[in-house]
Amino acid sequence: MPASPSTARAINDRLALRLLQQEGPLTAGQLKQLTGLSRPTVADLVERLSAARLIAVVGEAGEQRRGPNAKVYGIVADRAHLAALDVRTEGVAVVLADLVGRVLTEASVPIGGDTGTGAAVEQAVTLVERVAKEAGADRLHTVGIGAPGLIDPAGGELRQSTGLPEWHRRFVAALQERLPEARVSVENETNLAALAEQREGAARGRDTFVLLWLGHGTGAAVVLDGALRRGASGGTGEIGFLPVPGTAALPSATDCEGGFHSLASAAAVVELAAEFGIPAVESEAGAVRAAVGVVRAAVDRVGRQEAGPLDGPAPAAAFLDALAGRVAVGAASVVAVLDPGCVVLGGEVGRAGGVELARRVQDRLARMTPLSTEVRTTTLGGGAVLRGALLTARDRAQEELFAPGSGCG
């Protein structure tokens, strides 16, 4: 059945807005060319979107003549302000952006392990309020939060998780209470990193891949046929609980010690490095920084091809081989079940290992599974979670503001 006039207008409006988001400011003539719509139809939609304060004239094209076609239209960026947060065990980072995703300001605050729950929540919420004020945002339209742990698929809330601070769970509710008009949502940090890698990073162009997170703990994000898979209880990718060889015990329902976590967590990486005579010079700064330090040191030594004092492989190369073997154990299990064709190594440790670690993991996987699997390293660095949270917040805000009945269409 042909679309009704109102439905057709809504479709055309959304198409034009998406093009303005993807291509940047355009003239009416360019919109006509890209949409295939008639000149009167484009003129009508430009008038509607301007009246709804979704687009505005942002300049003029280079034509000598004056007129409607010479005007350049763009999305009204300050129509909505967005916040993206990366919530870690040791602190919070926040980015504030406009409706088109342009970053206006960013900041972070450390939160010590001995900070009380109430004080930690207040520090994190105050940070968001301060950043919004500095950016001149009277209100936040959408807030996207990335955090470790399980997300309840029914309520979208963080579930109780062993090893994570209590303030994580309290923070989301407190932020929503202080920002009652904002749309606040939380997503697993690894999932957000995977979405960012798919849109802008190492997995660009792939509709099926797995992001293996190597940081304080371990995790995985699964993207199949272009869709992020969360599972029945939101636990897809809780690879830290995966029973694997090489550990002294089995994981339990409340403790991932004995699972893949025991092989590839930050603390396990530091212990492994010590076995090869590579000390964690930053151990006092926390397990993650210590793990990053030893992995970077090993990669640097291998890059400079330093010989070891013992016969056989230099200690740095031997350490990276051993670490790659551990990572490959978890990756091989994922590959055997999902056959993703591509595994991206993310997280602080994955990023520190870079191409050197990815190559070793791929070589080990090739000996463990007949399924061809490319192993890549993150290209978004430490900002992958924040970037994923911002992309998600922007998509949600635009979905609402650009929807029929919201002022356009």
Side-chain angles (χ1 to χ4, degrees):
M1 293 180 61
S4 67
S6 61
T7 300
R9 287 194 295 270
I11 292 172
N12 292 340
D13 290 354
R14 287 170 68 87
L15 174 59
L17 287 164
R18 291 301 178 196
L19 286 170
L20 288 168
Q21 169 64 54
Q22 295 166 8
E23 305 293 334
L26 299 168
T27 65
Q30 290 170 323
L31 280 171
K32 174 183 178 297
Q33 181 179 10
L34 292 170
T35 61
L37 299 173
S38 67
R39 188 178 300 276
T41 299
V42 170
D44 286 344
L45 74 82
V46 166
E47 183 177 352
R48 280 195 305 275
L49 296 177
S50 298
R53 212 173 75 81
L54 288 171
I55 69 172
V57 177
V58 296
E60 292 186 349
E63 294 96 336
Q64 295 298 318
R65 58 186 173 82
R66 300 290 182 178
N69 288 338
K71 295 178 180 177
V72 178
Y73 297 91
I75 292 174
V76 178
D78 63 358
R79 173 65 187 274
H81 288 99
L82 324 169
L85 285 78
D86 183 1
V87 178
R88 300 298 179 94
T89 56
E90 70 278 6
V92 177
V94 59
V95 164
L96 194 132
D98 59 26
L99 183 57
V100 297
R102 184 175 62 245
V103 173
L104 303 177
T105 186
E106 52 190 309
S108 62
V109 62
I111 297 178
D114 56 350
T115 306
T117 298
V121 169
E122 182 61 27
Q123 279 184 267
V125 173
T126 300
L127 174 69
V128 178
E129 293 177 328
R130 176 172 63 81
V131 169
K133 183 177 180 180
E134 289 174 355
D138 296 331
R139 58 182 290 268
L140 294 178
H141 183 281
T142 306
V143 179
I145 302 172
L150 288 168
I151 311 297
D152 184 349
E157 299 175 345
L158 276 169
R159 292 166 54 181
Q160 183 69 45
S161 300
T162 303
L164 295 178
E166 175 62 24
W167 69 264
H168 277 200
R169 295 182 68 244
R170 302 274 187 88
F171 169 64
V172 178
L175 187 63
Q176 185 68 82
E177 182 178 346
R178 294 268 277 271
L179 304 174
E181 296 182 345
R183 291 79 170 158
V184 179
S185 62
V186 60
E187 178 63 88
N188 176 268
E189 61 177 354
T190 308
N191 288 344
L192 289 177
L195 292 175
E197 294 287 357
Q198 184 185 32
R199 297 268 287 271
E200 301 179 347
R204 180 180 291 184
R206 296 198 66 97
D207 62 359
T208 296
F209 71 99
V210 168
L211 174 72
L212 189 60
W213 184 270
L214 305 172
H216 178 75
T218 59
V222 177
V223 176
L224 298 177
D225 301 323
L228 179 68
R229 307 296 181 176
R230 296 179 176 84
S233 63
T236 295
E238 286 297 314
I239 197 172
F241 287 89
L242 181 73
V244 292
T247 61
L250 289 174
S252 69
T254 58
D255 191 351
C256 58
E257 288 299 328
F260 181 61
H261 174 88
S262 296
L263 290 185
S265 67
V269 171
V270 172
E271 292 176 2
L272 180 65
E275 295 178 14
F276 290 88
I278 303 175
V281 295
E282 296 183 284
S283 59
E284 72 280 358
V288 174
R289 289 189 182 182
V292 168
V294 295
V295 171
R296 282 180 176 167
V299 169
D300 182 58
R301 292 183 195 178
V302 169
R304 289 187 281 117
Q305 297 182 335
E306 287 190 2
L310 305 176
D311 293 335
F319 161 63
L320 289 177
D321 284 339
L323 177 58
R326 290 187 173 193
V327 174
V329 167
S333 300
V334 173
V335 168
V337 175
L338 300 175
D339 186 19
C342 177
V343 172
V344 177
L345 301 184
E348 296 90 346
V349 175
R351 184 171 72 254
V355 175
E356 194 66 42
L357 179 61
R359 179 179 62 80
R360 284 171 157 80
V361 173
Q362 181 168 320
D363 289 346
R364 185 61 64 92
L365 271 179
R367 300 197 296 268
M368 297 174 68
T369 173
L371 304 176
S372 178
T373 307
E374 182 181 3
V375 180
R376 302 176 180 178
T377 186
T378 172
T379 59
L380 296 180
V385 176
L386 270 177
R387 190 60 190 162
L390 181 56
L391 289 170
T392 301
R394 188 191 72 185
D395 289 348
R396 287 172 177 164
Q398 290 184 357
E399 187 67 26
E400 178 178 328
L401 292 172
F402 296 174
S406 63
C408 66

